Amino acid sequence: TPADNWNLSHWVVNGEEAGSATSLSLTLNADTDVVAVFLINQYEVTLQAEPAEGAAALSGEGAYEHGAVAQFAAHPAPGYIFLYWKDHNTIVSTNPGMQLAITKDQNLTAWFTEHSYEVELAVYPADAGTVSGAGVYGANTEVTVQAEPADEWQFSYWALVAGEEEEPVSNESEFTFVLSGNILLVAYFEPFVFTPTLEVSLEGNGNTMPEPGIYTFTQGEEVVLTATAEEGWEFVKWIVNGEDN
């Protein structure tokens, strides 16, 4: 007789299987070795989604031994959010990543519903640039927002605003994310600062001031260059950006 949650698999008599009936009749004419083999109960768990198009993926379906703790996961498709797991008409969890001790065959249903969220965008300073991508999108949709600086400005970063708190989320002007709630993003810009470079080189024998090399200056700064030929050489010309000067 099996204990609770176990079942008789078969009998083994003198090393050979002798059926799986709960009663076994033997005629004993010699020493006999009898073994009753029991196995723990196994159960089948199947998964489905309602509606079917609401699920991107479900995981955890399969066979489990009695008492095994199974891990299930429900991933909503774009435009949907997860509601709960149901076993027939009973809600067993509101967590999309659910653990459940298996004690019977079960058909679990992951329920989803269509849902949408709003993406709001702002610019700081107000006239420093423009943004695009604001609107209403389905939940779990991949959304791309873009920021374009105005003249004499450059993009700095995107910040996520939550109440009084702000969190930088991207340094790229084109930012893509998966939408999981209403969201406010601020595109921050900063004044464009041009730092011109000057590369000085020479041909022939002579010296320049400043010496040959690469230098940086502030925009609008005036630079004076001087050239001095060595003995036996004479200065001919400057070449600026490929043109004689």
Side-chain angles (χ1 to χ4, degrees):
T1 301
D4 289 343
N5 306 313
W6 290 76
N7 64 86
L8 176 67
S9 174
H10 58 275
W11 296 94
V12 178
V13 178
N14 293 332
E16 296 183 359
E17 289 194 22
S20 58
T22 55
S23 296
L24 177 67
S25 296
L26 298 173
T27 300
L28 299 178
N29 296 315
D31 292 339
T32 303
D33 181 28
V34 179
V35 178
V37 178
F38 296 91
L39 296 176
I40 193 168
N41 289 346
Q42 292 235 348
Y43 306 108
E44 193 73 25
V45 178
T46 56
L47 304 178
Q48 63 184 24
E50 183 62 42
E53 63 271 18
L58 302 176
S59 63
E61 186 172 85
Y64 295 90
E65 291 185 349
H66 177 86
V69 177
Q71 178 74 47
F72 302 99
H75 302 280
Y80 289 82
I81 59 172
F82 172 80
L83 292 178
Y84 42 71
W85 288 99
K86 266 190 172 184
D87 181 3
H88 294 95
N89 292 322
T90 302
I91 295 175
V92 293
S93 179
T94 56
N95 188 342
M98 171 183 66
Q99 287 188 333
L100 187 65
I102 306 302
T103 58
K104 62 180 180 178
D105 291 330
Q106 287 185 273
N107 180 18
L108 298 173
T109 302
W111 284 79
F112 301 87
T113 187
E114 289 186 272
H115 201 75
S116 60
Y117 296 114
E118 184 177 5
V119 176
E120 295 184 80
L121 302 179
V123 172
Y124 187 85
D127 297 326
T130 59
V131 289
S132 61
V136 177
Y137 299 86
N140 300 297
T141 301
E142 192 172 83
V143 177
T144 297
V145 294
Q146 293 181 304
E148 185 70 29
D151 290 343
E152 300 182 0
W153 291 86
Q154 62 186 4
F155 175 77
S156 182
Y157 63 92
W158 286 102
L160 172 64
V161 179
E164 299 297 320
E165 302 294 326
E166 286 193 6
E167 177 188 357
V169 291
S170 178
N171 294 321
E172 300 295 329
S173 60
E174 183 176 297
F175 174 43
T176 300
F177 56 95
V178 175
L179 186 62
S180 58
N182 294 321
I183 190 173
L184 170 59
L185 293 169
V186 179
Y188 280 87
F189 296 87
E190 59 189 8
F192 178 72
V193 178
F194 176 61
T195 305
T197 61
L198 173 67
E199 182 176 359
V200 180
S201 61
L202 59 82
E203 295 181 9
N205 291 357
N207 300 288
T208 62
M209 183 61 66
E211 296 179 351
I214 299 177
Y215 303 87
T216 60
F217 299 89
T218 59
Q219 187 174 7
E221 182 178 354
E222 184 175 323
V223 180
V224 177
L225 304 175
T226 59
T228 304
E230 291 187 356
E231 186 176 352
W233 292 75
E234 65 178 14
F235 173 75
V236 177
K237 61 184 177 181
W238 291 100
I239 301 175
V240 179
N241 291 333
E243 296 184 0
D244 291 352
N245 194 296

Short mmCIF file of all heavy atoms in Angstrom, two decimals, residues 140-163:
data_model
loop_
_atom_site.label_atom_id
_atom_site.label_comp_id
_atom_site.label_asym_id
_atom_site.label_seq_id
_atom_site.Cartn_x
_atom_site.Cartn_y
_atom_site.Cartn_z
N ASN A 140 4.62 48.36 -22.50
CA ASN A 140 5.72 47.49 -22.92
C ASN A 140 6.13 47.68 -24.38
O ASN A 140 6.78 46.82 -24.97
CB ASN A 140 5.37 46.02 -22.67
CG ASN A 140 5.10 45.74 -21.21
OD1 ASN A 140 5.97 45.89 -20.37
ND2 ASN A 140 3.87 45.36 -20.89
N THR A 141 5.72 48.83 -24.95
CA THR A 141 6.14 49.18 -26.31
C THR A 141 7.52 49.81 -26.27
O THR A 141 7.87 50.53 -25.34
CB THR A 141 5.13 50.16 -26.94
OG1 THR A 141 3.84 49.57 -26.98
CG2 THR A 141 5.55 50.56 -28.35
N GLU A 142 8.31 49.53 -27.30
CA GLU A 142 9.62 50.18 -27.42
C GLU A 142 9.42 51.58 -28.01
O GLU A 142 8.87 51.72 -29.11
CB GLU A 142 10.54 49.35 -28.31
CG GLU A 142 12.00 49.77 -28.26
CD GLU A 142 12.91 48.83 -29.00
OE1 GLU A 142 13.02 48.96 -30.24
OE2 GLU A 142 13.50 47.94 -28.36
N VAL A 143 9.86 52.59 -27.29
CA VAL A 143 9.64 53.99 -27.69
C VAL A 143 10.99 54.66 -27.91
O VAL A 143 11.93 54.44 -27.14
CB VAL A 143 8.85 54.76 -26.60
CG1 VAL A 143 8.69 56.22 -26.98
CG2 VAL A 143 7.49 54.10 -26.38
N THR A 144 11.07 55.49 -28.95
CA THR A 144 12.29 56.25 -29.22
C THR A 144 11.96 57.74 -29.18
O THR A 144 11.01 58.19 -29.83
CB THR A 144 12.88 55.90 -30.60
OG1 THR A 144 13.25 54.52 -30.61
CG2 THR A 144 14.11 56.75 -30.90
N VAL A 145 12.74 58.49 -28.41
CA VAL A 145 12.60 59.95 -28.36
C VAL A 145 13.88 60.57 -28.89
O VAL A 145 14.97 59.97 -28.78
CB VAL A 145 12.30 60.44 -26.93
CG1 VAL A 145 10.94 59.95 -26.47
CG2 VAL A 145 13.37 59.98 -25.95
N GLN A 146 13.76 61.75 -29.46
CA GLN A 146 14.92 62.43 -30.05
C GLN A 146 14.96 63.88 -29.61
O GLN A 146 13.92 64.51 -29.41
CB GLN A 146 14.86 62.35 -31.58
CG GLN A 146 15.04 60.93 -32.13
CD GLN A 146 15.00 60.91 -33.64
OE1 GLN A 146 14.03 61.36 -34.25
NE2 GLN A 146 16.03 60.38 -34.25
N ALA A 147 16.17 64.39 -29.47
CA ALA A 147 16.39 65.79 -29.10
C ALA A 147 17.29 66.44 -30.15
O ALA A 147 18.31 65.86 -30.55
CB ALA A 147 17.04 65.88 -27.72
N GLU A 148 16.90 67.65 -30.58
CA GLU A 148 17.65 68.37 -31.60
C GLU A 148 18.00 69.76 -31.06
O GLU A 148 17.11 70.55 -30.72
CB GLU A 148 16.81 68.51 -32.87
CG GLU A 148 17.53 69.15 -34.04
CD GLU A 148 18.62 68.26 -34.62
OE1 GLU A 148 18.48 67.02 -34.52
OE2 GLU A 148 19.59 68.81 -35.17
N PRO A 149 19.31 70.08 -30.95
CA PRO A 149 19.68 71.39 -30.39
C PRO A 149 19.40 72.54 -31.36
O PRO A 149 19.45 72.37 -32.58
CB PRO A 149 21.18 71.25 -30.13
CG PRO A 149 21.63 70.21 -31.11
CD PRO A 149 20.48 69.25 -31.27
N ALA A 150 19.10 73.70 -30.80
CA ALA A 150 18.99 74.92 -31.60
C ALA A 150 20.39 75.45 -31.89
O ALA A 150 21.39 74.94 -31.37
CB ALA A 150 18.17 75.96 -30.84
N ASP A 151 20.47 76.47 -32.74
CA ASP A 151 21.77 77.08 -33.05
C ASP A 151 22.46 77.54 -31.77
O ASP A 151 21.82 78.10 -30.87
CB ASP A 151 21.59 78.27 -33.99
CG ASP A 151 21.15 77.84 -35.39
OD1 ASP A 151 21.31 76.65 -35.71
OD2 ASP A 151 20.65 78.69 -36.14
N GLU A 152 23.76 77.28 -31.71
CA GLU A 152 24.62 77.68 -30.60
C GLU A 152 24.34 76.91 -29.31
O GLU A 152 24.77 77.30 -28.23
CB GLU A 152 24.52 79.20 -30.34
CG GLU A 152 24.93 80.03 -31.56
CD GLU A 152 24.89 81.52 -31.28
OE1 GLU A 152 24.54 81.91 -30.15
OE2 GLU A 152 25.21 82.29 -32.21
N TRP A 153 23.63 75.76 -29.45
CA TRP A 153 23.41 74.88 -28.30
C TRP A 153 23.82 73.46 -28.68
O TRP A 153 23.88 73.11 -29.86
CB TRP A 153 21.94 74.90 -27.87
CG TRP A 153 21.50 76.19 -27.26
CD1 TRP A 153 21.06 77.30 -27.93
CD2 TRP A 153 21.50 76.52 -25.87
NE1 TRP A 153 20.77 78.30 -27.05
CE2 TRP A 153 21.02 77.86 -25.77
CE3 TRP A 153 21.82 75.83 -24.72
CZ2 TRP A 153 20.88 78.50 -24.55
CZ3 TRP A 153 21.67 76.48 -23.50
CH2 TRP A 153 21.22 77.79 -23.42
N GLN A 154 24.07 72.65 -27.67
CA GLN A 154 24.36 71.24 -27.90
C GLN A 154 23.62 70.39 -26.86
O GLN A 154 23.39 70.84 -25.73
CB GLN A 154 25.86 70.96 -27.85
CG GLN A 154 26.53 71.25 -26.53
CD GLN A 154 28.04 71.08 -26.60
OE1 GLN A 154 28.59 70.81 -27.66
NE2 GLN A 154 28.70 71.24 -25.47
N PHE A 155 23.24 69.18 -27.29
CA PHE A 155 22.52 68.28 -26.38
C PHE A 155 23.44 67.82 -25.26
O PHE A 155 24.61 67.53 -25.48
CB PHE A 155 21.99 67.07 -27.15
CG PHE A 155 21.34 66.04 -26.27
CD1 PHE A 155 20.06 66.23 -25.78
CD2 PHE A 155 22.02 64.89 -25.92
CE1 PHE A 155 19.46 65.28 -24.96
CE2 PHE A 155 21.44 63.92 -25.11
CZ PHE A 155 20.16 64.12 -24.62
N SER A 156 22.88 67.71 -24.04
CA SER A 156 23.65 67.25 -22.89
C SER A 156 23.20 65.87 -22.43
O SER A 156 23.94 64.91 -22.51
CB SER A 156 23.54 68.25 -21.73
OG SER A 156 24.33 67.82 -20.63
N TYR A 157 21.93 65.74 -21.98
CA TYR A 157 21.45 64.43 -21.53
C TYR A 157 19.93 64.44 -21.36
O TYR A 157 19.30 65.50 -21.30
CB TYR A 157 22.10 64.04 -20.20
CG TYR A 157 21.80 64.95 -19.03
CD1 TYR A 157 20.72 64.69 -18.18
CD2 TYR A 157 22.58 66.08 -18.78
CE1 TYR A 157 20.42 65.55 -17.12
CE2 TYR A 157 22.30 66.92 -17.72
CZ TYR A 157 21.22 66.65 -16.89
OH TYR A 157 20.93 67.48 -15.84
N TRP A 158 19.36 63.23 -21.30
CA TRP A 158 17.96 63.03 -20.95
C TRP A 158 17.86 62.73 -19.46
O TRP A 158 18.67 61.97 -18.92
CB TRP A 158 17.36 61.84 -21.70
CG TRP A 158 17.08 62.06 -23.16
CD1 TRP A 158 17.81 61.63 -24.21
CD2 TRP A 158 15.95 62.76 -23.71
NE1 TRP A 158 17.24 62.01 -25.39
CE2 TRP A 158 16.09 62.70 -25.12
CE3 TRP A 158 14.86 63.42 -23.17
CZ2 TRP A 158 15.16 63.27 -25.98
CZ3 TRP A 158 13.94 63.99 -24.02
CH2 TRP A 158 14.09 63.92 -25.42
N ALA A 159 16.85 63.29 -18.80
CA ALA A 159 16.61 63.02 -17.38
C ALA A 159 15.17 62.54 -17.19
O ALA A 159 14.24 63.09 -17.81
CB ALA A 159 16.86 64.25 -16.52
N LEU A 160 15.00 61.53 -16.35
CA LEU A 160 13.68 61.03 -15.98
C LEU A 160 13.22 61.76 -14.74
O LEU A 160 13.91 61.79 -13.72
CB LEU A 160 13.76 59.52 -15.71
CG LEU A 160 12.50 58.87 -15.12
CD1 LEU A 160 11.34 58.96 -16.11
CD2 LEU A 160 12.79 57.42 -14.76
N VAL A 161 12.03 62.35 -14.81
CA VAL A 161 11.49 63.13 -13.69
C VAL A 161 10.43 62.28 -12.97
O VAL A 161 9.49 61.79 -13.59
CB VAL A 161 10.86 64.44 -14.18
CG1 VAL A 161 10.28 65.22 -13.01
CG2 VAL A 161 11.90 65.27 -14.92
N ALA A 162 10.63 62.11 -11.67
CA ALA A 162 9.66 61.39 -10.84
C ALA A 162 9.41 62.23 -9.60
O ALA A 162 10.23 62.26 -8.67
CB ALA A 162 10.18 60.01 -10.46
N GLY A 163 8.29 62.96 -9.59
CA GLY A 163 8.00 63.86 -8.48
C GLY A 163 9.01 64.99 -8.43
O GLY A 163 9.19 65.72 -9.40
#
